[in-house]
Amino acid sequence: MKLQPLLFLAFGLTAAAATISVEQNVAEVAHHRTTTTTTTTTSTSTSTKTTKTKSTTHSKTKTTTKVSKPTGTPCAGNKANKRSKWCEYDISTDYTEVVPDTGVTREYWLTLDDLTAAPDGFSRPVMAVNGSIPGPTIIADWGDWVIVHVTNNLHTSMNGTSIHWHGIRQNYTNDQDGVVSITQCPTAPGSTLTYKWRAVQYGSSWYHSHIGLQAWEGVFGGILINGPATANYDVDKGNLFLTDWSHQTVDELYSHAQTVGPPILDTGLLNGTNVYGNGSAATGERFTMKVDKGSSYRLRIVNSAVDTHWKFMIDNHTLTVISADFVPIKPFTTNYIDIGMGQRYDVIVTANQRRVGESFWMRAIPQEACSENASPDNIRGIMHYGKKAKEPTTSAWAFEDGCLDEPASNLVPYVPKTVSAADWSDMTDVTIGRNSANLFRWYLNSTTMQVFWEDPTLLQVFNNQTDYSESSGLIKLPNAHEWVYLMINTSIPVTHPIHLHGHDFFVLAQGSNPWDGGVNTNNPPRRDTAMLAGNGYLLIGFETDNPGAWLMHCHIGWHTDEGFALQFLEREREIDPLIDFDALQDNCASWNTYDATYNIDQEDSGI
Ligand SMILES: *[C@@H]1O[C@H](CO)[C@@H](O)[C@H](O)[C@H]1NC(C)=O
Ligand SMILES: *[C@@H]1O[C@H](CO)[C@@H](O)[C@H](O)[C@H]1NC(C)=O
Ligand SMILES: *[C@@H]1O[C@H](CO)[C@@H](O)[C@H](O)[C@H]1NC(C)=O
Ligand SMILES: *[C@@H]1O[C@H](CO)[C@@H](O)[C@H](O)[C@H]1NC(C)=O
Ligand SMILES: *[C@@H]1O[C@H](CO)[C@@H](O)[C@H](O)[C@H]1NC(C)=O
Ligand SMILES: *[C@@H]1O[C@H](CO)[C@@H](O)[C@H](O)[C@H]1NC(C)=O
Ligand SMILES: *[C@@H]1O[C@H](CO)[C@@H](O)[C@H](O)[C@H]1NC(C)=O
Ligand SMILES: *[C@@H]1O[C@H](CO)[C@@H](O)[C@H](O)[C@H]1NC(C)=O
Ligand SMILES: *[C@@H]1O[C@H](CO)[C@@H](O)[C@H](O)[C@H]1NC(C)=O
Ligand SMILES: [Cu+2]
């Protein structure tokens, strides 16, 4: 067994060191019709055991852009006092129907490594993208195509990988969704997989690993798609990640999660850094953010935790919320926001306090009703007026502990939509039990997801599988443009952030049991992640407008691993021609070779 030496890296020492300039590294290439930018795989494998005879019959239909003016700067008209404008489009343009033809493709290279780092001053093994937590931000304009080459250098941990572009629609590009066992095999250490997708939405999100618990070892980074906004601001501060963190790795903590229940986590990080401990024993550095009196700032807040629901607030400042996940909303102003795992809120904060040189706490507060943390009051950053951050003496806004979503009345999509009656509806009951090895597993109805890295659903589609015997929890949705309603219901007092791939869903009903039967079809909240309350229900609706195998799962890391998931096989007959089977099979072949050499165990649900 060949092991690479651990690379050592000092970061998390200052907030500045945790961030790097992405713009320098972005290769922006005008996209010509003649340029071939098809998905490719380079691998260390020489295996030829998979047959490729079918590949010639699959013509790629994805390249739809044509050469037009290259952009890269915000679209004409999008100024600090006119954020609603976006070239000839604006914030009222229905982005589910219309996409700017920018003619631009942005290309990024990302590398995953096993490293040692001390984000809160305590040194431990981590996995990171390009040597930082969070990794580099993927930046594009609304309408651009994005190509990302992901190289797996996780030789020490011998972890396969896949990168999921959370919330990205993957419109007719299901095979780029980056979910092991569903859309791809793991990418083996030593291999590179190239993803290509179009930014048909705009706003804020993140990419993260979608195998095992790897995302919460540090494999994540921001996605920032420039576009119009529902309120004005002066400065875009970018993504702000709220991560929970422990001195043991999540892989070490998993056995506790599976046998006893969710472990108590040590602390949390703001954008990859924080202080740990008290007084003179404290280590690490606070996240800091400089503001100038009178200016307004956009923050793109992402909950990247494994098992923490946050309230986020800035002392003495209100937040104007302008989007929920990738959906622009009518702005509302609040003292704090509730943010579940996988969710994003874009907020504007105005530096409107009188005193010059003042510093204010920015707080990420784990909600005890559903999150266990040993430092609940010490996950803080500092927003400072003027050059130097000093220790703030400010107090938190009053709040009530709880793990619910923002009320639906706050989350009104700016581009309104009404939902039709259900063409297909079903319900599924969420329960927990122990499997034959006495480990916790989550069940939707009576099924806990168990799928296999080496046999993703898309490979089964290619192989003309009809029973999908290797893919549990699969629901077929054969017909185009039908309205699907799914009621998710639980009588267990545990909340779950429910995330759907390939769609924004409509939140038709949500609350604590019993359900009164009400269904809100008149421009309800629309997003890709919503909270299922403990002892509660969540009724989601979406249209079958995107062929593919799409995962729906709880975004608590432990629960995903413990099988809280199902998959929709949407418009199965139309999937085949959309898939780059050469890339899929090459990547699987190199994984199979790696697996045969090192005998890698899959110990979880497979996603
Ligand atoms: C957080 O880190 C990312 C990646 O380095 C950076 O783009 C972003 O600006 C940082 N956020 C803030 C609010 O400083
Ligand atoms: C999604 O892809 C389909 C098929 O290529 C296309 O007809 C549709 O316009 C696309 N939707 C968006 C929002 O780009
Ligand atoms: C990531 O690191 C690779 C080298 O490993 C480098 O080529 C690439 O430019 C970096 N990407 C970004 C976005 O910083
Ligand atoms: C990744 O490596 C860790 C540490 O060796 C291990 O515990 C975990 O099971 C591996 N995860 C995957 C997805 O292979
Ligand atoms: C910090 O102090 C509080 C109160 O004395 C204590 O409960 C907590 O455990 C301390 N935290 C750490 C990380 O030492
Ligand atoms: C913050 O608000 C409180 C309550 O209004 C006020 O007493 C305090 O002086 C403010 N702090 C600062 C630093 O402005
Ligand atoms: C779950 O079970 C209920 C009650 O038996 C049934 O009506 C429903 O169709 C099942 N749903 C799924 C997704 O299997
Ligand atoms: C799947 O079915 C199609 C159409 O019948 C056929 O052309 C193709 O060879 C089959 N693929 C495999 C892998 O059997
Ligand atoms: C959810 O399940 C509980 C207990 O099984 C039941 O009482 C309740 O009616 C169900 N609610 C819905 C909306 O199906
Ligand atoms: Cu869950």
Side-chain angles (χ1 to χ4, degrees):
M1 199 163 64
K2 259 193 304 180
L3 290 187
Q4 294 263 114
L6 262 189
L7 297 172
F8 287 87
L9 173 93
F11 75 96
L13 296 177
T14 67
T19 67
I20 62 161
S21 166
V22 178
E23 287 81 355
Q24 296 167 358
N25 296 301
V26 181
E28 186 190 299
V29 285
H31 187 94
H32 298 272
R33 275 189 194 287
T34 48
T35 310
T36 349
T37 46
T38 50
T39 309
T40 52
T41 311
T42 39
S43 77
T44 52
S45 162
T46 53
S47 162
T48 52
K49 74 178 172 192
T50 17
T51 134
K52 290 181 196 165
T53 46
K54 201 186 176 190
S55 64
T56 48
T57 64
H58 292 280
S59 58
K60 302 259 297 170
T61 52
K62 280 182 244 168
T63 310
T64 57
T65 52
K66 60 172 186 279
V67 183
S68 64
K69 64 187 172 338
T71 65
T73 49
C75 239
N78 186 264
K79 305 246 170 63
N81 62 355
K82 248 192 194 153
R83 294 291 180 196
S84 62
K85 288 279 162 222
W86 194 257
C87 296
E88 62 264 49
Y89 309 97
D90 65 34
I91 189 67
S92 55
T93 305
D94 185 350
Y95 58 87
T96 66
E97 302 282 340
V98 176
V99 186
D101 188 358
T102 61
V104 171
T105 299
R106 288 167 197 274
E107 195 166 13
Y108 288 86
W109 286 261
L110 301 178
T111 303
L112 277 49
D113 285 301
D114 291 299
L115 300 167
T116 296
D120 63 347
F122 183 93
S123 196
R124 50 153 276 192
V126 303
M127 299 176 191
V129 183
N130 272 35
S132 70
I133 299 176
T137 308
I138 303 291
I139 302 174
D141 286 343
W142 178 27
D144 289 351
W145 281 87
V146 176
I147 293 178
V148 192
H149 309 276
V150 177
T151 298
N152 182 355
N153 271 343
L154 300 170
H155 297 282
T156 306
S157 58
M158 300 193 296
N159 269 203
T161 197
S162 74
I163 298 290
H164 170 60
W165 319 93
H166 186 108
I168 293 289
R169 173 81 69 260
Q170 299 297 358
N171 183 45
Y172 281 74
T173 53
N174 177 239
D175 61 342
Q176 308 300 302
D177 200 37
V179 187
V180 290
S181 310
I182 308 294
T183 63
Q184 65 166 93
C185 293
T187 301
S191 293
T192 297
L193 186 64
T194 295
Y195 297 88
K196 183 182 176 190
W197 42 266
R198 192 172 185 197
V200 301
Q201 306 133 284
Y202 53 85
S204 312
S205 195
W206 58 317
Y207 60 85
H208 62 77
S209 166
H210 218 302
I211 186 171
L213 295 166
Q214 199 176 78
W216 303 283
E217 300 292 9
V219 180
F220 67 89
I223 296 178
L224 191 165
I225 316 286
N226 291 303
T230 60
N232 293 331
Y233 54 90
D234 296 315
V235 181
D236 191 341
K237 287 280 192 182
N239 297 55
L240 174 58
F241 282 95
L242 310 180
T243 312
D244 48 16
W245 193 252
S246 269
H247 297 164
Q248 278 185 288
T249 69
V250 283
D251 282 308
E252 287 162 353
L253 293 170
Y254 185 49
S255 81
H256 186 282
Q258 286 193 101
T259 53
V260 183
I264 299 172
L265 301 171
D266 290 331
T267 181
L269 309 172
L270 282 82
N271 236 25
T273 186
N274 195 20
V275 157
Y276 180 73
N278 301 320
S280 59
T283 57
E285 287 274 330
R286 297 271 181 212
F287 170 80
T288 61
M289 185 173 97
K290 178 182 175 299
V291 296
D292 293 322
K293 192 169 141 56
S295 290
S296 56
Y297 299 86
R298 177 177 184 162
L299 277 172
R300 302 158 178 271
I301 301 166
V302 182
N303 184 339
S304 49
V306 66
D307 192 7
T308 304
H309 183 101
W310 307 104
K311 276 192 170 65
F312 176 82
M313 62 177 76
I314 303 176
D315 296 353
N316 290 65
H317 293 76
T318 57
L319 307 172
T320 298
V321 187
I322 59 169
S323 66
D325 300 346
F326 267 131
V327 178
I329 58 171
K330 294 198 171 154
F332 72 96
T333 297
T334 178
N335 294 345
Y336 55 80
I337 50 156
D338 257 272
I339 183 165
M341 281 151 274
Q343 293 184 325
R344 290 87 66 206
Y345 284 107
D346 284 34
V347 304
I348 295 167
V349 55
T350 301
N352 58 4
Q353 295 300 296
R354 243 172 281 142
R355 278 179 267 181
V356 186
E358 199 65 65
S359 290
F360 297 86
W361 288 120
M362 306 170 78
R363 300 170 192 266
I365 307 174
Q367 298 302 289
E368 287 171 24
C370 65
S371 326
E372 293 198 80
N373 197 292
S375 316
D377 193 34
N378 205 15
I379 305 168
R380 305 186 199 174
I382 301 172
M383 185 172 95
H384 56 101
Y385 287 58
K387 284 206 174 61
K388 258 191 103 88
K390 56 179 193 186
E391 181 95 349
T393 54
T394 54
S395 308
W397 293 104
F399 69 93
E400 232 176 88
D401 188 272
C403 302
L404 300 178
D405 264 333
E406 290 294 321
S409 56
N410 279 345
L411 304 177
V412 181
Y414 193 86
V415 174
K417 302 247 171 219
T418 49
V419 180
S420 303
D423 300 299
W424 181 101
S425 69
D426 206 347
M427 67 92 63
T428 186
D429 186 28
V430 177
T431 56
I432 189 169
R434 287 185 185 264
N435 67 8
S436 55
N438 208 30
L439 301 172
F440 281 129
R441 284 294 176 267
W442 286 91
Y443 296 84
L444 291 174
N445 274 1
S446 53
T447 305
T448 184
M449 181 166 272
Q450 185 62 69
V451 285
F452 299 96
W453 289 342
E454 68 279 6
D455 195 14
T457 307
L458 289 188
L459 198 58
Q460 298 179 51
V461 170
F462 174 65
N463 288 326
N464 298 332
Q465 195 83 237
T466 49
D467 64 346
Y468 295 93
S469 51
E470 292 282 88
S471 283
S472 64
L474 183 143
I475 296 176
K476 289 190 181 193
L477 301 172
N479 304 323
H481 299 293
E482 287 196 339
W483 281 94
V484 171
Y485 283 23
L486 183 70
M487 169 61 80
I488 308 160
N489 181 30
T490 185
S491 45
I492 296 173
V494 178
T495 52
H496 305 274
I498 304 295
H499 174 53
L500 175 65
H501 293 212
H503 301 269
D504 283 334
F505 56 73
F506 293 79
V507 180
L508 300 173
Q510 183 183 36
S512 300
N513 288 329
W515 175 44
D516 65 7
V519 177
N520 177 12
T521 54
N522 182 20
N523 198 27
R526 166 169 106 229
R527 61 189 317 171
D528 57 60
T529 311
M531 297 303 299
L532 167 64
N535 284 314
Y537 60 90
L538 175 67
L539 177 63
I540 66 168
F542 64 93
E543 196 187 337
T544 52
D545 57 6
N546 197 6
W550 304 112
L551 196 64
M552 189 199 83
H553 65 103
C554 170
H555 222 285
I556 294 174
W558 320 125
H559 295 185
T560 310
D561 259 28
E562 291 162 358
F564 190 137
L566 53 76
Q567 52 178 322
F568 292 106
L569 191 61
E570 182 174 340
R571 296 163 63 169
E572 183 185 358
R573 285 183 306 275
E574 295 166 71
I575 296 174
D576 208 78
L578 303 175
I579 298 175
D580 185 341
F581 281 111
D582 280 349
L584 177 67
Q585 290 185 306
D586 285 354
N587 189 57
C588 286
S590 44
W591 173 254
N592 291 338
T593 303
Y594 188 86
D595 189 18
T597 310
Y598 297 108
N599 206 2
I600 309 298
D601 278 340
Q602 179 190 322
E603 287 164 347
D604 68 356
S605 59
I607 44 149

